[in-house]
Amino acid sequence: MGLVAHGLGGVKDLPVPAWIFYWGGAVVLVVSFVALGALWREPLLARHAHSRRVPRWLDRVVLGTPLRVAVQSLSVILLALVFLSALVGDSDPLQNLAPTWIYVVFWLGVPLLSILFGNVWRVLSPWLAIADGFVWLRERTGREAQALADYPERLGRWPGAVLLFAFVALELAYTDPSSPRTLAFATAIYTYVTLFGFASFGRETWQERGEGFAVAFSFLARMAPITVVDGRLVLRWPFTGLHGAETIPGSLAVIAVLLGSVGFDGLSRTSWWQNLLADVEAPYVLDNQGLGDLLVALVSLAGLGAVIFLVGLAYRGACALMRSTVDAPRSLAPDFLLSLVPIAFVYAVAHYFSLFVIQGQFAIPLLSDPLGRGWDVLGTSGFTPNLAPFSPDTIWYVQAGALVAGHVTGLAVAHDRAVTIVHDRQDALRSQYPMLALMVLYTVGGLWLLSRG
């Protein structure tokens, strides 16, 4: 991210060798698989997906117009502030609000809010707020706000996947992702594309299919114990929103970007990858630094794309093996896709939670001085962040624990789907052998990347 190393270091001197964690994670998954086969004999997620309405007064407050308008207004103000900071503020990323706000508070904070409170991005999105405000003004003048075109259904969520990939490519492949001026340009482009999408295809359609962040956060929100059904705020068991198939084209691409981008971030921190980039750049350091930076960015972009592709390919391969195991008449990829959602989230937790806690504290003084001009608007400029809230061992244990827990959850979601669509219990269990292998691969691979960072 260019701000600090992503909290991946400091795990070389553990009291227990790293390979024990690899084997331990694999054993936990195998034991969990056996337990699921013995105890989870029928679908449970769909059965417990029923919702319980909250008290009417709470529903009116949370979903009421006053709170929504207030939050949306604040989100637009924050977007303007972050853009202004990036455009004219201090060029030092550590003295400018934009890099910390975009890469830490927004990119790491909203996913956490999504799994706790549901699809909060529908209210927090400044772009949707701008579109809502435009529609409201247009309707008040007696004109109807209509989409300019019908959305091609064959595109599915591919536009969202492309925009999400563009963001992670800026974050992980560009040579200077924390440059405030670069972020100002990227924010302006994304704002234009998003508002154009809303105008062209309608707010709901583009929010569900084309707005990259909205699509990604909506997947994570399916794990939340809170959701909205028929305009009412309701409670449900966590993870029950992950039952069922996901048939919209491009859905796998979105989840692969979420999962693969974090995997590539871990890979990019290894000495092997750093040496590779150094070898690519070395011939041009003295004579043509610009060309060297371009080549490094292209190699990083190719690496990012390759890891994302391999994540999707491994999942497709596991689903093909499952299909052959039970002689299914169609692809099973849509049926088990949502089992990857918890894994995508815990990968982010494992890689970034220390960054979120440590670097996120810097947002407090930066909010008082967003442009780096020596201001103290909120009286928080003197706040001193705690740069060592965790020991390196604690960080590693949280990382390893999150990865294993997330993969066990994914295995349970996949098992629930298997006993739903495969009527014979033994066939359902046998069909999950490839999924178990996939989860072990993802777990051990994730732990290895963390230990190499």
Side-chain angles (χ1 to χ4, degrees):
M1 286 184 186
L3 296 174
V4 295
H6 293 181
L8 300 181
V11 299
K12 301 294 187 181
D13 300 318
L14 287 173
V16 178
W19 64 266
I20 292 182
F21 285 92
Y22 306 158
W23 280 102
V27 169
V28 169
L29 285 174
V30 172
V31 171
S32 300
F33 179 82
V34 173
L36 288 170
L39 303 175
W40 200 315
R41 297 171 177 265
E42 57 186 17
L44 296 179
L45 293 182
R47 176 183 300 178
H48 295 287
H50 59 275
S51 306
R52 183 173 134 189
R53 293 183 176 181
V54 303
R56 175 66 72 173
W57 67 268
L58 182 60
D59 185 76
R60 285 198 298 265
V61 171
V62 174
L63 299 183
T65 300
L67 180 60
R68 178 174 58 83
V69 171
V71 173
Q72 287 188 316
S73 299
L74 179 61
S75 72
V76 174
I77 292 172
L78 283 172
L79 174 64
L81 176 63
V82 171
F83 176 71
L84 184 64
S85 299
L87 186 64
V88 299
D90 196 310
S91 59
D92 182 356
L94 297 178
Q95 301 299 321
N96 192 298
L97 174 65
T100 295
W101 189 267
I102 292 173
Y103 289 133
V104 181
V105 178
F106 162 70
W107 184 230
L108 304 181
V110 176
L112 179 61
L113 292 176
S114 298
I115 68 141
L116 292 176
F117 304 111
N119 198 4
V120 296
W121 188 241
R122 293 190 63 87
V123 178
L124 297 179
S125 169
W127 301 293
L128 184 59
I130 294 171
D132 286 346
F134 174 81
V135 170
W136 183 83
L137 287 173
R138 188 173 180 86
E139 290 177 347
R140 289 301 176 275
T141 60
R143 293 175 292 177
E144 187 177 1
Q146 292 184 331
L148 302 177
D150 293 329
Y151 186 81
E153 289 300 318
R154 68 181 181 277
L155 290 181
R157 294 190 172 106
W158 278 105
V162 171
L163 286 176
L164 195 65
F165 177 80
F167 174 78
V168 298
L170 170 65
E171 177 192 11
L172 302 174
Y174 186 62
T175 53
D176 191 13
S178 295
S179 165
R181 305 302 177 258
T182 298
L183 289 174
F185 179 75
T187 301
I189 293 296
Y190 194 89
T191 298
Y192 173 81
V193 171
T194 302
L195 295 181
F196 180 81
F198 285 146
S200 299
F201 304 111
R203 289 170 294 170
E204 289 300 320
T205 298
W206 193 251
Q207 184 82 354
E208 294 174 358
R209 307 294 179 91
E211 207 271 89
F213 299 124
V215 174
F217 298 152
S218 68
F219 275 117
L220 298 176
R222 299 190 188 195
M223 296 189 290
I226 302 173
T227 189
V228 177
V229 177
D230 297 328
R232 289 292 306 276
L233 188 69
V234 297
L235 303 177
R236 63 185 179 187
W237 286 102
F239 305 109
T240 53
L242 297 176
H243 78 277
E246 191 55 57
T247 59
I248 299 176
S251 297
L252 174 57
V254 173
I255 296 177
V257 170
L258 284 174
L259 184 54
S261 61
V262 181
F264 172 75
D265 192 22
L267 176 66
S268 69
R269 302 288 162 178
T270 63
S271 57
W272 173 81
W273 185 264
Q274 292 297 318
N275 290 337
L276 173 64
L277 295 186
D279 291 340
V280 169
E281 188 179 23
Y284 308 97
V285 169
L286 298 179
D287 298 329
N288 197 337
Q289 182 64 50
L291 178 58
D293 290 342
L294 176 61
L295 292 176
V296 166
L298 291 176
V299 171
S300 296
L301 185 64
L304 173 63
V307 173
I308 291 172
F309 177 78
L310 289 175
V311 166
L313 183 64
Y315 173 74
R316 284 283 188 182
C319 290
L321 289 175
M322 283 191 286
R323 180 182 182 183
S324 64
T325 300
V326 296
D327 295 323
R330 58 173 178 80
S331 171
L332 298 179
D335 291 283
F336 296 94
L337 181 59
L338 294 180
S339 67
L340 299 185
V341 174
I343 300 170
F345 176 72
V346 298
Y347 255 63
V349 171
H351 282 258
Y352 300 137
F353 93 95
S354 60
L355 171 70
F356 179 65
V357 173
I358 296 172
Q359 186 66 30
Q361 298 176 67
F362 285 89
I364 297 175
L366 287 172
L367 281 170
S368 274
D369 186 21
L371 277 65
R373 303 290 174 81
W375 301 341
D376 191 12
V377 177
L378 302 179
T380 60
S381 63
F383 176 81
T384 302
N386 180 3
L387 300 182
F390 312 109
S391 69
D393 284 4
T394 299
I395 292 174
W396 170 252
Y397 289 131
V398 171
Q399 291 172 329
L403 277 179
V404 174
H407 285 83
V408 170
T409 302
L411 202 59
V413 172
H415 179 80
D416 183 84
R417 187 60 183 165
V419 297
T420 300
I421 64 176
V422 181
H423 301 296
D424 183 85
R425 180 170 169 270
Q426 293 301 320
D427 285 345
L429 186 60
R430 189 169 60 252
S431 72
Q432 290 305 287
Y433 293 158
M435 186 59 69
L436 172 62
L438 180 67
M439 296 299 179
V440 170
L441 174 66
Y442 282 167
T443 301
V444 175
L447 290 171
W448 181 83
L449 288 174
L450 287 172
S451 66
R452 296 299 95 191

